[in-house]
Structure formats: C-alpha cells, structure tokens
Amino acid sequence: MFKRAAPYLGIPSRLVHVVDTLMSWSRPVDWTTGERPIVFPSNEKLSGKLGIGIRQLQKTLTSAARRGLIAHRDSPNGNRIGSRGKDGRLIYAYGIDLSPLGVRYQEFVDAAEQGRAADVRVNVLRKRLSAARRRIRSFAQLVEDEAITGIDARLVVELSEMATRQMREVRDESRLMACVEQIESRSAELAKAVTKALASSGGPSTDSHSSPSGEPNDAPITTTIQPENAKANYSSGLSEKSGRAEYDVRNERPQTEVEKDLKKHGIDPEFIAAVVPELIFFGGTSPTWGELIGTAERLVNQTAIHKSVWDEACRLMGQKGAAASVIATAHKHSRGDVDRPGAYLRGMNKNAASGNLNLGRTFHGLKDSVRTEGMRALGTGGPCSIGQLALAALGRTGSIGRRLL
C-alpha cells in the first residue's frame, strides 16, 4: 500500500526503493502484536543492495526519516545489531525501525484509493480534450476543403494543439477542467460557424466529416439518391467499364465533372503519387490510373469503407475520380484528420452529386501540407515524412519528387 500511495503523496522513487529494500530484511512475525519491526543491515550491505555510495545512503535514510517513513533505534555504540530466536522473533535489535509504515497504513490506503479515483477523472478530462481537438481539426479540414472564407480555423487548431501539449503532464483537475471547457467552447463555436457558412452557401452538411464517437453530428451520411450497382470487376485495378455503360477507364479524356476538375487542376497519377507516396506502390517509373484504382480498392478494405459507398463513388465520379477521393480520404485518416473514412467518403459522394466537390483544390492543399512538413523537417534536421522516406528507399524521388516543388 505504501508503494501504491507513494506517487500520490509526492514520495520520490529513490525513497520507495530504499524502504522496499529495508522491508526485505523484515519478517511477518515482526508485525504481530507486541513486536517491533526493526532491521539491522550494515551501511556497507545496504549500499551494496541499493547500488549507491555510503554518503548518498546516509542522506537518503535521513530524508526517509524526515518524511516519517522510518525511525532510528540506535545501540549504545551506534552499531546496527540484532538477534532472533528459534521462532524467528527478535531477542534484541538496534537499527532501522519500520513501524512508522504500520502506523501510517490507513493513510496509505486512503491516498491510493483517492489517487486512483483522481486518475480516472483526469483520464476522462484528457479524453474530452483530445476529442475536442480532433473535432476542431475535422471542422478545420472542412473549412479548407470547401474554401470557406471568414473563419480563422487555423488559429483554433493551433490553440487546441498547444493546450493539448501543455496539459500533457498536468494533474491539477481544476486547471485541466478549465482548459477542457475552453477548448470545447472553441470547438462548439467553430462548428456553429462552419454549419452556418455551409447552410448559407448550400454546401454539404457537417455530418459528412467524421467526428469523435459520442459527439454531435456523428451520424453516418445517407443519400436520397440510391446508387446504381457498379458492374465492373475492380479487383485487378484495370477494369474497362463502370456501372455506367458510357464510361471507359481507358479513355484519357475526363468523363465526369470530378475528373474534369482533377484535369483542370493538373491532378494526374504522378501528382497523386508525389503527394501521398506512402499509400501508393507502383511497378514502373510512373504510376497509372489502373494502379491507382487498384490501390483505392485495397484502401477501401483497409479503412473499412463499405463497398456500396465505393460503388456509388464510381458511379458519381468515375473510377478515376473515385480512386482519387478514396486515396485523399485514406491520407487524411492516417493523419488523424478523419475518424470515419466511410462517412467522409459518403459526404464526398453527396458533394459530387450536387456539383460541390472540389477534389483538385483538396489535392493542392495536401501538396502544400506535405511541402510545409518537408521544409520544416529540413530546417530542424528532423526526419521527412514516411512517404518521402519510402520514395527515397525505392529510388523514386526523381520526377515524382519534383512535383511537390
């Protein structure tokens, strides 16, 4: 109970180790009625057990006595000495008295129980803070994707990240509660502002973006337009036809509004591979749409996106547009910006159906983020992103790497 209570009583670990070592010389009979738990190891033996010098040992024992953990019962000549009978009881003993631990037993029990209860409350507050931070990041990503003006989401994100870092080691419940309430208030204000902006512009519902479980607007997106079943076989990533008879994946010309938007912004397989290389592995020097479609099918399974959502994306965006959407969604999910990829992709499908999906702008935003992270890593001497390391390891930093500049 002493060891359990020590962290909550502010007792240093070195003192815990000393007391624990001293207890190894004590016997259960020493703690029975009428007995006294006195141990009498020499300083040389004790310092050898603890792995510290004699002088440091003396300072540690003095500190333990001042904290009321031990007491000294000295012999006339100052030596630690004792003797036990055949029944193990002490006949006489001079040395270090451990009875203060027994006197404080109930204090240790109470401190441990209260400490555990405080741990639970602090853990709840930390989870609330993390949930609010993730929600802020989700709405900030929505502001970026939909190019909403008049909302300074970046400042709110920076505040939430700073608060999370500063509260990481804090156990003061009042400080934590004040911080959590402030960040949750910021999250609610941002959600209200984004919802109002989208409502006035006729944009998508905020439900299309994932939010933490148990938070508002966490219901999955449903659409009143039932998707036609795609009839193509996607397993190879090189299918020729989608569910729409006129769509041909071999056609280099854009066949949907989403693909037109991608072409307008210069988003091709090489561009996508340069932005998210950690998700795409291809055999040649340049990736193809077929390889990207195959990658998207793999990511659909890995991120637990329902096949009907993928089929609807193919119908609304074409296979190329659907593949680009899935890859962008998976990348945001890996960064922690999206909690539920299936709900996020349903939101993109809804935007595509209403003509409000700006996928080209999204990929340019991802490119800017990758470039910023890369420059920061070079400036600090730190490692590059996983994707950049993967490209370097595979020797593919040539023309693809230059697409980020």
Side-chain angles (χ1 to χ4, degrees):
M1 293 311 304
F2 162 70
K3 288 192 286 185
R4 293 179 184 178
Y8 308 116
L9 295 175
I11 298 175
S13 58
R14 68 179 187 279
L15 295 186
V16 175
H17 184 38
V18 167
V19 172
D20 197 31
T21 303
L22 289 172
M23 286 290 292
S24 67
W25 277 285
S26 177
R27 299 185 183 182
V29 69
D30 296 339
W31 299 89
T32 59
T33 303
E35 300 297 323
R36 197 75 177 265
I38 299 175
V39 295
F40 37 90
S42 65
N43 280 346
E44 290 75 13
K45 183 179 291 186
L46 190 54
S47 64
K49 284 275 190 178
L50 295 172
I52 59 178
I54 298 294
R55 183 60 179 163
Q56 186 178 358
L57 170 63
Q58 292 172 340
K59 290 181 178 180
T60 303
L61 291 176
T62 300
S63 178
R66 287 175 179 172
R67 288 178 176 268
L69 303 177
I70 63 174
H72 292 284
R73 184 178 182 183
D74 299 327
S75 65
N77 60 5
N79 293 330
R80 294 184 195 137
I81 189 171
S83 177
R84 293 183 181 273
K86 293 182 179 180
D87 59 356
R89 296 178 183 274
L90 287 172
I91 300 174
Y92 66 91
Y94 297 95
I96 300 173
D97 190 350
L98 301 178
S99 57
L101 295 174
V103 174
R104 299 179 63 181
Y105 172 73
Q106 191 58 46
E107 177 189 349
F108 298 149
V109 172
D110 295 340
E113 291 179 352
Q114 294 170 8
R116 283 196 298 269
D119 284 343
V120 172
R121 294 193 298 270
V122 167
N123 189 45
V124 170
L125 289 173
R126 293 193 194 284
K127 287 183 177 180
R128 284 175 57 185
L129 182 60
S130 297
R133 176 180 58 84
R134 289 195 301 268
R135 184 166 172 75
I136 286 172
R137 289 179 62 181
S138 296
F139 278 108
Q141 187 65 44
L142 180 57
V143 170
E144 178 182 340
D145 290 346
E146 302 300 327
I148 300 175
T149 59
I151 299 178
D152 191 359
R154 187 183 297 268
L155 175 60
V156 184
V157 171
E158 291 176 354
L159 285 173
S160 66
E161 296 287 350
M162 181 177 64
T164 303
R165 289 193 300 270
Q166 291 181 345
M167 294 294 110
R168 191 164 294 158
E169 302 299 330
V170 173
R171 285 188 49 83
D172 188 326
E173 293 182 52
S174 60
R175 288 181 59 192
L176 264 174
M177 177 62 76
C179 179
V180 168
E181 289 178 348
Q182 183 180 15
I183 298 302
E184 287 180 340
S185 176
R186 295 271 186 173
S187 173
E189 291 173 1
L190 179 61
K192 184 177 179 180
V194 172
T195 302
K196 182 177 179 181
L198 291 176
S200 62
S201 63
S205 167
T206 55
D207 288 353
S208 63
H209 288 258
S210 176
S211 63
S213 178
E215 293 289 327
N217 300 324
D218 201 24
I221 291 297
T222 57
T223 175
T224 56
I225 305 176
Q226 297 301 322
E228 299 174 10
N229 291 328
K231 299 186 176 81
N233 179 12
Y234 302 104
S235 59
S236 66
L238 297 171
S239 57
E240 298 183 2
K241 300 283 185 180
S242 71
R244 300 173 62 177
E246 66 273 15
Y247 186 88
D248 190 339
V249 74
R250 297 170 299 183
N251 190 345
E252 296 183 0
R253 297 175 61 85
Q255 300 172 72
T256 65
E257 292 301 319
V258 174
E259 291 182 1
K260 289 179 183 179
D261 179 69
L262 291 175
K263 186 173 181 62
K264 173 185 174 182
H265 289 87
I267 310 300
D268 57 14
E270 189 173 341
F271 186 102
I272 295 174
V275 173
V276 290
E278 71 275 11
L279 299 179
I280 302 172
F281 296 94
F282 45 90
T285 57
S286 297
T288 65
W289 277 114
E291 288 171 320
L292 260 63
I293 293 170
T295 296
E297 293 171 353
R298 172 174 55 83
L299 293 173
V300 165
N301 293 326
Q302 291 179 352
T303 55
I305 295 175
H306 197 277
K307 186 177 182 298
S308 63
V309 183
W310 161 253
D311 291 343
E312 183 180 15
C314 291
R315 181 179 67 82
L316 295 170
M317 311 178 198
Q319 285 181 265
K320 299 174 184 177
S325 297
V326 168
I327 291 171
T329 299
H331 179 65
K332 292 180 181 181
H333 178 59
S334 66
R335 292 195 317 181
D337 296 332
V338 169
D339 292 331
R340 299 172 62 231
Y344 190 89
L345 185 59
R346 277 193 291 268
M348 297 180 79
N349 289 343
K350 187 175 181 179
N351 292 346
S354 60
N356 293 320
L357 183 63
N358 300 309
L359 195 54
R361 186 182 300 161
T362 297
F363 270 100
H364 277 285
L366 295 178
K367 182 196 74 171
D368 292 340
S369 297
V370 172
R371 182 169 55 186
T372 301
E373 292 171 1
M375 294 301 293
R376 187 182 298 115
L378 289 175
T380 59
C384 299
S385 68
I386 295 175
Q388 291 167 334
L389 292 175
L391 278 179
L394 295 173
R396 295 170 178 169
T397 56
S399 61
I400 294 179
R402 290 192 292 270
R403 295 298 296 272
L404 296 176
L405 303 178

